[in-house]
Amino acid sequence: MSESESSPSAYAEFVKPQLQYNEEGWGPCEKIDFSGMPYQPFSKSDRMGKISDWTGTATVDKKFPNKYASQFGTGSQYAYYHDEDETTFHLVDTTRVQKLPYQRGRFRGNMRNMRGRGGRGGAHSGFQTLGKSVKMRDQRRGTTGRKWGVRGPPPKIRDASVTVRPDWSTIEEMDFPRLTKLSLPGVKEGEDITCCGTLEYYDKTYDRINVKNEKPLQRVDRIFHTVTTTDDPIIRSLSKSVGNVYATDSILATIMCCTRSNYSWDIVIDKIQDKLFMDKRDNTEFDLLTVNETSVEPPQDDGNSLNSPRNLAIEATFINHNFSQQVLKSGPNESKFKFPEPNPFIGDEEEGEVASVAYRYRKWDLHNGIVLVARCEHDAVVHTPSGDHQFLTVKALNEWDSKLANGVEWRQKLDTQRGGVLANELRNNACKLAKWTVQALLAGSDQIKFGYVSRAHVKDSSRHVILGTQQFRPNEFATQINLSMDNAWGILRCIIDLLMKQKDGKYLIMKDPNKPMIRLYDIPENTFETDGSEESGDEGETFQPLYSYAGNGNKKN
């Protein structure tokens, strides 16, 4: 080694770092610049327990596995990446696996003791024996794993009834728990303003139908009008002198029973000079009847399936319309009950016969200057032994597939356990039955009559049979299904008060498709308007029905 190489000057000089000592506290004395240094965001609520865990244990809290995870997620600032190829590494283990010796008849003693107790699949085996039909049903639903404690497929995300546009502003969000606590007691019975239409008498022979004496459901060629509020010529004329809130019974029932709904729906409200007009949109599915909406497992098949939610809704609406007309005495020589005014929606150019329906235009005083005017409907009339008339609301419950619907089979239970069948319908169709009851109460119907209609074959949605009927008084049925009209009026009054505080314009109420809440939007005036949609306002205008089924089962436009 040369002298130059061994001299101290040949090595780099070591410079001692300057150490800072904070006499007044802890931490650095001067501000440190952290720019350019990796930084992981954290929250004050993040748990810091793991920072002092020096035991090296790898136990994981099964109940709270992410207890120490940051709410910002795991960052990649301090991530370690190893790029070396380890494919050539092999673990050499020459230890032989020891096998237990085979013992003949080892389990025979236990199996002998289980004879007469269910055999291999008995109650002592710890497993549930599934029948072939149950297994096939679970495979169609994708729920086979649920019987073994495995979570099934996630619920299907439902679509909203209308697309929320960017120029809509949210005024209020009302969740169902708050709405269920509202109450408006003291609302008196509605007062009739005018009554229109013609009713046919109910055929009491249908009360004697049972499962052993079923009757095919006929397809009645009649026209059903579902005219919205502002298209009603009588409401137009009444709005000049009576009331300041206007709607139809179906719109009111939808709002009053909103806390029982799961599917999305929407209602348009026009506020004009301290008056509210509640409407449904054109070409909407507002009038379709839902099927198993409140079931634990509602229908989730795709749109092309026979049992998809929309196809089931069309089938239920078809059944309801035809049943309500088939149970009437509609012969040419049969007498009819006529109200003082004719049906306001019958046009001169309409083809076919209009369905039996009567309209009651009624008003309610909701206190503090709010007077509600609504169009309500009756479906039939019946003679009482005393010679008086009773007005009926006629509706149909339909059975589509009891196995897929988790229900009881009507042909086996309807005659002997009708209460159980009805309880199952109240569980699966709570919203629909509540809306029917509210409509009957608003119209002042004396009876609400239900028909039990089932498919003639489970795979055919075009042919149906009537298996029985049942009737209730609307007030008693409301009590049975735990429907409080004070709460229903309270929900309606809350929305009316909220709208009355807004400026004149157009608004929309929509049920959130996946959350238990409704939202109120302020929308532009020209929303949902198309060319030629302006109405002339003449009372003689002809209104096209939304649903009218011809004799071959097709829907007229």
Side-chain angles (χ1 to χ4, degrees):
M1 180 181 295
S2 63
E3 184 180 354
S4 61
E5 292 178 350
S6 60
S7 62
S9 61
Y11 296 97
E13 183 180 0
F14 174 75
V15 180
K16 292 190 300 180
Q18 183 180 0
L19 299 178
Q20 297 180 359
Y21 176 67
N22 190 348
E23 297 180 354
E24 299 179 355
W26 62 277
C29 300
E30 299 177 359
K31 183 179 179 181
I32 301 177
D33 184 14
F34 290 97
S35 61
M37 297 179 65
Y39 175 72
Q40 172 68 28
F42 67 94
S43 173
K44 292 182 179 180
S45 62
D46 288 346
R47 293 176 179 266
M48 304 298 290
K50 281 294 183 181
I51 200 170
S52 60
D53 186 4
W54 304 103
T55 61
T57 58
T59 58
V60 179
D61 192 344
K62 295 181 179 180
K63 189 174 183 180
F64 303 102
N66 299 322
K67 179 165 59 176
Y68 299 105
S70 174
Q71 69 176 13
F72 294 98
T74 57
S76 61
Q77 291 88 344
Y78 307 101
Y80 173 72
Y81 300 96
H82 187 69
D83 296 332
E84 293 184 6
D85 185 14
E86 296 183 354
T87 57
T88 58
F89 175 79
H90 297 281
L91 176 64
V92 179
D93 186 6
T94 58
T95 306
R96 297 182 60 183
V97 179
Q98 296 183 358
K99 296 182 180 181
L100 296 176
Y102 175 73
Q103 299 179 6
R104 184 183 301 273
R106 181 181 179 183
F107 301 101
R108 185 173 299 174
N110 294 335
M111 294 299 295
R112 185 182 300 112
N113 294 333
M114 291 177 62
R115 290 180 181 177
R117 300 183 183 181
R120 296 184 179 181
H124 295 272
S125 63
F127 295 96
Q128 178 182 0
T129 303
L130 301 180
K132 183 177 179 181
S133 60
V134 179
K135 290 180 180 179
M136 295 177 62
R137 180 192 67 190
D138 292 339
Q139 290 175 0
R140 288 194 298 268
R141 296 182 186 172
T143 59
T144 306
R146 297 182 186 179
K147 297 188 180 298
W148 313 109
V150 181
R151 181 176 296 178
K156 185 177 181 181
I157 303 300
R158 293 185 287 265
D159 296 329
S161 60
V162 62
T163 304
V164 178
R165 302 180 186 177
D167 56 346
W168 295 3
S169 59
T170 305
I171 298 176
E172 188 74 21
E173 292 183 349
M174 293 165 278
D175 58 287
F176 287 176
R178 286 193 300 165
L179 292 176
T180 54
K181 297 178 182 178
L182 299 176
S183 179
L184 182 64
V187 178
K188 298 181 180 179
E189 182 72 17
E191 179 183 345
D192 290 344
I193 303 175
T194 182
C195 298
C196 313
T198 302
L199 288 175
E200 295 176 352
Y201 286 89
Y202 176 75
D203 189 355
K204 294 183 180 181
T205 58
Y206 282 86
D207 292 337
R208 297 192 290 269
I209 291 180
N210 53 37
V211 174
K212 297 180 180 179
N213 185 28
E214 63 184 31
K215 195 165 188 176
L217 181 68
Q218 302 174 3
R219 301 181 179 181
V220 183
D221 185 11
R222 288 187 171 183
I223 298 174
F224 291 83
H225 295 98
T226 56
V227 181
T228 188
T229 306
T230 53
D231 291 342
D232 191 324
I234 295 183
I235 289 184
R236 288 178 182 175
S237 61
L238 292 175
S239 64
K240 300 176 183 179
S241 58
V242 182
N244 50 12
V245 180
Y246 308 92
T248 63
D249 59 347
S250 59
I251 293 175
L252 293 178
T254 301
I255 295 176
M256 289 178 167
C257 303
C258 65
T259 56
R260 301 183 183 226
S261 62
N262 290 337
Y263 294 160
S264 180
W265 47 264
D266 61 273
I267 295 171
V268 180
I269 298 102
D270 288 298
K271 184 174 186 292
I272 305 172
Q273 298 178 353
D274 296 331
K275 292 186 178 182
L276 300 179
F277 294 86
M278 299 183 176
D279 282 304
K280 61 182 181 182
R281 293 183 294 112
D282 294 334
N283 302 321
T284 182
E285 298 180 357
F286 183 85
D287 293 296
L288 288 180
L289 300 176
T290 60
V291 176
N292 281 42
E293 176 181 0
T294 57
S295 173
V296 177
E297 295 181 1
Q300 295 185 5
D301 293 352
D302 55 16
N304 298 326
S305 171
L306 185 71
N307 297 324
S308 67
R310 188 177 186 278
N311 288 339
L312 288 174
I314 294 176
E315 178 186 358
T317 308
F318 170 78
I319 292 172
N320 193 76
H321 284 175
N322 286 280
F323 175 79
S324 65
Q325 302 303 305
Q326 181 178 342
V327 298
L328 305 178
K329 299 178 180 179
S330 57
N333 299 325
E334 297 290 344
S335 60
K336 298 181 180 181
F337 182 89
K338 295 183 178 181
F339 277 110
E341 300 294 332
N343 190 324
F345 308 124
I346 297 180
D348 297 334
E349 299 179 357
E350 278 187 339
E351 298 179 0
E353 186 180 3
V354 177
S356 168
V357 63
Y359 302 104
R360 281 183 183 265
Y361 292 85
R362 317 185 83 189
K363 67 176 181 179
W364 292 264
D365 185 4
L366 303 186
H367 314 308
N368 297 331
I370 302 298
V371 178
L372 170 67
V373 175
R375 184 188 75 226
C376 307
E377 298 183 8
H378 293 305
D379 296 314
V381 66
V382 65
H383 274 300
T384 62
S386 61
D388 297 331
H389 290 90
Q390 285 190 347
F391 298 101
L392 306 181
T393 296
V394 183
K395 302 297 180 181
L397 298 168
N398 65 295
E399 181 188 38
W400 47 288
D401 191 333
S402 59
K403 294 181 179 179
L404 294 179
N406 284 335
V408 295
E409 197 164 344
W410 288 5
R411 287 176 173 82
Q412 296 180 1
K413 303 293 185 179
L414 189 59
D415 288 347
T416 58
Q417 300 179 13
R418 183 159 300 185
V421 173
L422 182 60
N424 188 73
E425 289 299 306
L426 291 173
R427 182 170 53 252
N428 294 337
N429 297 282
C431 182
K432 179 170 66 175
L433 284 162
K435 289 165 65 174
W436 285 347
T437 307
V438 168
Q439 288 179 260
L441 290 170
L442 292 175
S445 295
D446 299 290
Q447 299 283 346
I448 180 170
K449 188 172 291 288
F450 294 120
Y452 294 91
V453 181
S454 177
R455 291 179 180 176
H457 190 273
V458 71
K459 299 296 184 181
D460 186 4
S461 63
S462 61
R463 295 185 300 110
H464 302 84
V465 291
I466 304 173
L467 300 179
T469 60
Q470 192 174 11
Q471 70 178 20
F472 298 91
R473 293 187 179 275
N475 286 318
E476 297 175 357
F477 191 71
T479 304
Q480 182 175 344
I481 66 176
N482 197 24
L483 173 64
S484 171
M485 285 303 294
D486 289 347
N487 173 246
W489 287 118
I491 295 173
L492 179 64
R493 180 58 192 271
C494 176
I495 295 176
I496 291 175
D497 290 344
L498 191 61
L499 288 166
M500 284 296 187
K501 298 177 182 178
Q502 310 301 321
K503 63 180 186 301
D504 288 1
K506 181 176 287 189
Y507 302 89
L508 181 132
I509 300 175
M510 187 184 72
K511 159 68 173 65
D512 188 281
N514 301 295
K515 296 180 180 179
M517 66 168 54
I518 57 177
R519 292 186 173 91
L520 177 62
Y521 296 96
D522 184 358
I523 62 179
E525 286 286 347
N526 58 352
T527 310
F528 308 129
E529 290 184 2
T530 57
D531 295 337
S533 63
E534 296 296 330
E535 303 294 342
S536 61
D538 297 333
E539 294 187 6
E541 182 180 1
T542 301
F543 302 96
Q544 294 294 332
L546 182 61
Y547 298 107
S548 56
Y549 296 92
N552 57 0
N554 298 326
K555 183 175 72 174
K556 289 184 178 180
N557 296 324

